[in-house]
Amino acid sequence: MHQVRPTTGDSNWFVNDRFGLFIHWGLYALPARHEWVKQREEIPGDVYDSKYFTRFDPDLYDPDVWAAAASDAGMKYFVVTTKHHDGFCLWDSKLTDYKATNTPARRDLIGPMAKAFRDRDMKVGFYHSLIDWHHPNFVIDDLHSMRNHPDRAELNKTREQQQYIEYLHGQVRELLTDYGKVDMLFYDFSYPAGSRGRAADSVGKGRRDWDSEALIKLTRQLQPDILVDDRLDLFDVPGGWDYRTPEQFMPRAWPTDEAGTKVVWETCQTFSGSWGYHRDESSWKSVDQLLRMLIEVVSKGGNLLLNVGPTGRGEFDDRALDRLRGMGAWMRRHGRAIYGCTAAPPEIPTPQNCCLTWNPQTRRLYVHILAWPFKQLSLDGLAGRVEYAQLLNDASEVFLREPTPHQLEMGGADAGAVVLDLPVEQPRVEIPVVELFLK
């Protein structure tokens, strides 16, 4: 079976649950045109705060509604931005005034959220930005919202990154102390010169700028079972990361480490292009596209973290709710082809226009049929290995048989195949799944 790099944190629940919700929420929900709006438009801090900090009032925020929408969609965990790159904090941090409790919201938004999701038996994850364009001691670099400020060099003379490091570590201590068990932490992100496609002479930040080794030690000390992502610039440090995080693309195969060993991994994806709420974006993925993404990820041994950007009033907008409901309808009948599943054993070929997922505990193989075939589907390498087959959506039997001589003669199947006799009409679900009970 698959040999996977061990994690320092507890990944048993993670590789079982497979499907989670990402939440990007903050002041940037008010401009409603991307969470990097302050950096992209180089908005001065005083302008950004006078427009958005003074007006952040999510009066319709109900975390129980959010948790219900995620749970009904089949999601088993969530990750929320406690602080994004603009530096604004959703909790009542004792280390800054730049927080939700000092806006018209006037309350901690993280505590009720964590409780609401836990009440749905969902795991709790925090995203925390390493970057902070608001903090006065964060040294201005080539990614900063003030990167093109004419007095950048002069401004940096009074900035002490070490003081920012102490602030960063102090806030992590608050988050991992005050909110009960935190199952995962998504740090974001390191960008040293020469990394992530950046020029060798670029001015970025890496492990020294966060004191990453001390930070990971603190993280694991406070929450020994916590899963930590791969963005602290600690790939060569034992215990420096647990899982890989390809973002906004699909790996061609199960990701591996430098030694070629498969790793625990999760891809984070948006419904559209922006992570924060974007009013005018019109490139939203369909339910069918999103389900194909989820299936493909699990077929490669990974997890899908799918993002919602709530509005400034504190709601998931109708486009997000529509996709969540559509995914939930499919997951209600097909969840067992996702939960507890992974890539199929390598000796089993994947049929054309299909994806395979495999549950090693139940020994059931799931054939996700992405393009409905005409009457038969041949599964190479499974002759004599399948005890029973059924459509997963309604548990209706699918007949198994050997290939006919004519099929063998004309290339319709291999000699070691088993043939599924399928109905002519596709079942009325987004993506039909055949459940195979292996001997």
Side-chain angles (χ1 to χ4, degrees):
M1 202 45 202
H2 305 287
Q3 297 298 314
V4 182
R5 173 187 176 273
T7 57
T8 303
D10 177 15
S11 59
N12 291 322
W13 67 268
F14 187 70
V15 299
N16 178 80
D17 291 355
R18 291 304 186 198
F19 188 27
L21 174 69
F22 214 173
I23 299 172
H24 275 68
W25 196 36
L27 300 182
Y28 43 80
L30 298 184
R33 55 184 186 271
H34 204 278
E35 72 285 350
W36 282 55
V37 61
K38 182 177 183 180
Q39 193 263 13
R40 288 184 169 190
E41 299 179 15
E42 300 185 44
I43 302 173
D46 58 343
V47 174
Y48 189 80
D49 295 343
S50 66
K51 292 179 72 174
Y52 309 129
F53 183 82
T54 60
R55 294 182 174 90
F56 184 68
D57 184 16
D59 57 314
L60 300 179
Y61 170 55
D62 185 342
D64 292 321
V65 172
W66 291 13
S71 179
D72 290 348
M75 294 163 162
K76 295 294 188 182
Y77 61 99
F78 88 109
V79 179
V80 62
T81 53
T82 56
K83 179 193 83 167
H84 205 262
H85 306 328
D86 64 358
F88 177 69
C89 302
L90 293 183
W91 82 102
D92 189 18
S93 174
K94 303 302 184 289
L95 302 177
T96 183
D97 293 330
Y98 201 53
K99 55 189 177 180
T101 50
N102 288 336
T103 69
R106 300 202 180 281
R107 61 196 186 279
D108 174 10
L109 302 172
I110 294 297
M113 196 185 310
K115 181 181 184 303
F117 280 84
R118 284 196 188 104
D119 287 347
R120 294 270 173 174
D121 294 323
M122 298 176 70
K123 301 290 188 182
V124 172
F126 290 158
Y127 166 111
H128 195 70
S129 174
L130 301 170
I131 302 164
D132 194 318
W133 301 323
H134 176 81
H135 197 281
N137 281 303
F138 188 92
V139 174
I140 301 169
D141 56 33
D142 291 349
L143 210 61
H144 200 283
S145 59
M146 297 170 64
R147 63 199 176 280
N148 293 318
H149 194 288
D151 299 323
R152 168 175 162 173
E154 191 65 27
L155 289 169
N156 273 338
K157 287 181 180 179
T158 60
R159 293 184 175 232
E160 298 289 342
Q161 188 69 19
Q162 181 58 41
Q163 290 189 34
Y164 174 71
I165 290 172
E166 293 170 9
Y167 172 78
L168 170 64
H169 290 213
Q171 287 205 315
V172 169
R173 181 178 291 277
E174 287 183 339
L175 290 167
L176 298 186
T177 302
D178 297 344
Y179 293 99
K181 182 174 176 58
V182 180
D183 300 285
M184 60 191 304
L185 189 51
F186 194 118
Y187 286 117
D188 193 39
F189 60 94
S190 300
Y191 47 106
S195 71
R196 299 171 68 104
R198 291 181 170 82
D201 60 350
S202 66
V203 180
K205 288 186 172 64
R207 67 175 73 186
R208 294 180 182 176
D209 303 286
W210 325 125
D211 196 359
S212 291
E213 294 194 51
L215 185 56
I216 191 69
K217 183 178 179 180
L218 173 68
T219 302
R220 299 201 188 279
Q221 178 186 40
L222 295 173
Q223 297 275 347
D225 293 331
I226 198 167
L227 275 180
V228 182
D229 74 338
D230 58 348
R231 302 189 179 191
L232 283 173
D233 191 25
L234 293 176
F235 286 111
D236 58 339
V237 174
W241 61 280
D242 289 311
Y243 67 101
R244 298 304 312 268
T245 58
E247 179 175 326
Q248 295 284 57
F249 76 95
M250 181 68 68
R252 297 172 65 185
W254 191 326
T256 62
D257 62 15
E258 291 184 353
T261 304
K262 293 173 180 173
V263 298
V264 176
W265 69 282
E266 172 192 71
T267 180
C268 50
Q269 303 278 350
T270 56
F271 283 126
S272 189
S274 175
W275 296 94
Y277 174 65
H278 198 305
R279 182 191 62 204
D280 299 333
E281 218 161 37
S282 59
S283 55
W284 281 63
K285 301 174 185 70
S286 67
V287 171
D288 180 77
Q289 286 175 304
L290 294 165
L291 289 172
R292 287 168 183 261
M293 182 186 296
L294 173 61
I295 291 163
E296 184 177 350
V297 167
V298 177
S299 78
K300 295 172 180 176
N303 285 37
L304 175 62
L305 187 64
L306 191 56
N307 181 77
V308 171
T311 71
R313 297 289 300 275
E315 293 185 299
F316 291 2
D317 85 341
D318 289 340
R319 296 168 296 180
L321 290 172
D322 175 72
R323 271 67 175 182
L324 291 172
R325 283 191 291 265
M327 297 188 80
W330 186 87
M331 285 292 289
R332 179 174 175 272
R333 295 180 176 88
H334 301 91
R336 70 178 187 234
I338 299 296
Y339 307 132
C341 290
T342 186
E347 71 273 11
I348 299 178
T350 301
Q352 188 176 12
N353 298 320
C354 296
C355 282
L356 299 179
T357 60
W358 161 250
N359 188 317
Q361 301 301 317
T362 62
R363 292 191 53 78
R364 296 184 191 181
L365 183 69
Y366 296 94
V367 185
H368 303 255
I369 304 175
L370 307 179
W372 192 249
F374 176 62
K375 296 179 71 172
Q376 283 104 26
L377 180 65
S378 296
L379 306 176
D380 293 340
L382 290 178
R385 297 180 61 182
V386 183
E387 189 175 74
Y388 186 77
Q390 63 182 15
L391 284 168
L392 187 53
N393 62 290
D394 62 1
S396 59
E397 184 177 6
V398 172
F399 287 123
L400 305 166
R401 61 174 177 80
E402 297 179 0
T404 65
H406 186 55
Q407 282 180 306
L408 293 173
E409 177 189 358
M410 300 302 297
D414 289 342
V418 63
V419 176
L420 304 179
D421 279 337
L422 299 172
V424 173
E425 289 190 24
Q426 175 178 324
R428 299 182 68 178
V429 294
E430 288 280 355
I431 299 173
V433 179
V434 177
E435 184 176 40
L436 303 178
F437 296 69
L438 299 195
K439 295 178 181 178

